[in-house]
Amino acid sequence: MTDDIRLAHLLAAHNEIMDGLLSGRFDFGLTTGRLDHPKIISVPLWKDRYTLLVGARHPMARRRKIYLQDIQNEKICALPEDQSKLRIVDELCKKAGFEPDFVLEGNVELLSDYMREGLGVSFGLASVRDAYRDIRSIPLADEIGEASIYLSWCGERYLTNSMLTLQSYLRDVGKQIEAER
């Protein structure tokens, strides 16, 4: 990549990402699922598996895989309900036949702190398994489907060479993730 690319990471709901792309505040958005708007171009990058996220000292942290049923008595940390496109916990627990017992609904940093301290577990995607210090990612053994990760941008916007470089890089990352599956 070139030196003139600056990245900012923001976790946001689909509608916020779409608004940011349309207004020009964001150049690109990475989403779980396609953004549905006539001015937005969304291309699939990779399919990702769901994982359980636990603190490094959690009793489950050393497990190689886990079934959703194994966590029905655990306290759950999740994103707020208004971030429904990002919040997967409700759907996953429902598939396993139980209601989640929420100990916290908050932002990613707060969720990470709670998990690190052993106060709850959460869900994430396998491709970001190493993103947080002292958090372990345990593959789910259940057949629950996958998330499709999309790269989106406003089709009316001019793409600079730097933007095209970043876009190409993200496509290469997607190919690498798919090849490692």
Side-chain angles (χ1 to χ4, degrees):
M1 293 197 353
T2 63
D3 292 335
D4 58 344
I5 293 176
R6 304 284 184 262
L7 296 177
H9 173 262
L10 170 71
L11 189 62
H14 274 199
N15 63 330
E16 293 174 82
I17 294 171
M18 191 174 333
D19 290 346
L21 293 171
L22 292 170
S23 71
R25 271 184 334 173
F26 305 150
D27 295 328
F28 295 106
L30 285 174
T31 57
T32 54
R34 186 180 182 283
L35 294 180
D36 190 28
H37 189 283
K39 293 182 180 180
I40 300 290
I41 297 170
S42 290
V43 296
L45 293 178
W46 69 84
K47 290 192 184 290
D48 212 341
R49 293 184 190 102
Y50 295 111
T51 65
L52 182 72
L53 302 174
V54 300
R57 294 183 305 251
H58 191 281
M60 294 182 193
R62 301 251 183 264
R63 295 188 53 183
R64 292 188 184 272
K65 66 180 178 178
I66 195 153
Y67 288 92
L68 287 168
Q69 278 295 327
D70 296 343
I71 65 156
Q72 74 179 27
N73 296 320
E74 293 287 329
K75 300 291 184 191
I76 306 286
C77 302
L79 294 169
E81 199 167 3
D82 65 346
Q83 294 187 17
S84 61
K85 282 289 190 180
L86 298 169
R87 182 173 152 140
I88 58 173
V89 64
D90 305 282
E91 179 184 336
L92 294 178
C93 292
K94 183 178 177 183
K95 284 183 179 185
F98 66 91
E99 290 291 319
D101 181 10
F102 293 109
V103 67
L104 170 73
E105 294 182 67
N107 64 39
V108 173
E109 291 78 18
L110 194 53
L111 296 179
S112 298
D113 289 344
Y114 261 65
M115 286 184 289
R116 231 178 255 112
E117 294 300 318
L119 300 173
V121 301
S122 193
F123 294 99
L125 296 171
S127 61
V128 292
R129 65 186 166 270
D130 300 323
Y132 301 102
R133 164 182 66 76
D134 297 326
I135 303 288
R136 301 291 183 260
S137 175
I138 306 168
L140 295 174
D142 305 85
E143 292 294 324
I144 56 169
E146 300 172 309
S148 294
I149 308 302
Y150 282 79
L151 174 65
S152 300
W153 65 93
C154 182
E156 295 180 342
R157 184 137 185 233
Y158 172 76
L159 298 179
T160 66
N161 284 335
S162 295
M163 293 165 74
L164 291 170
T165 299
L166 178 60
Q167 189 180 66
S168 176
Y169 172 77
L170 291 171
R171 287 178 191 234
D172 288 346
V173 167
K175 289 177 188 169
Q176 181 180 353
I177 290 171
E178 283 292 322
E180 291 174 359
R181 294 178 45 155

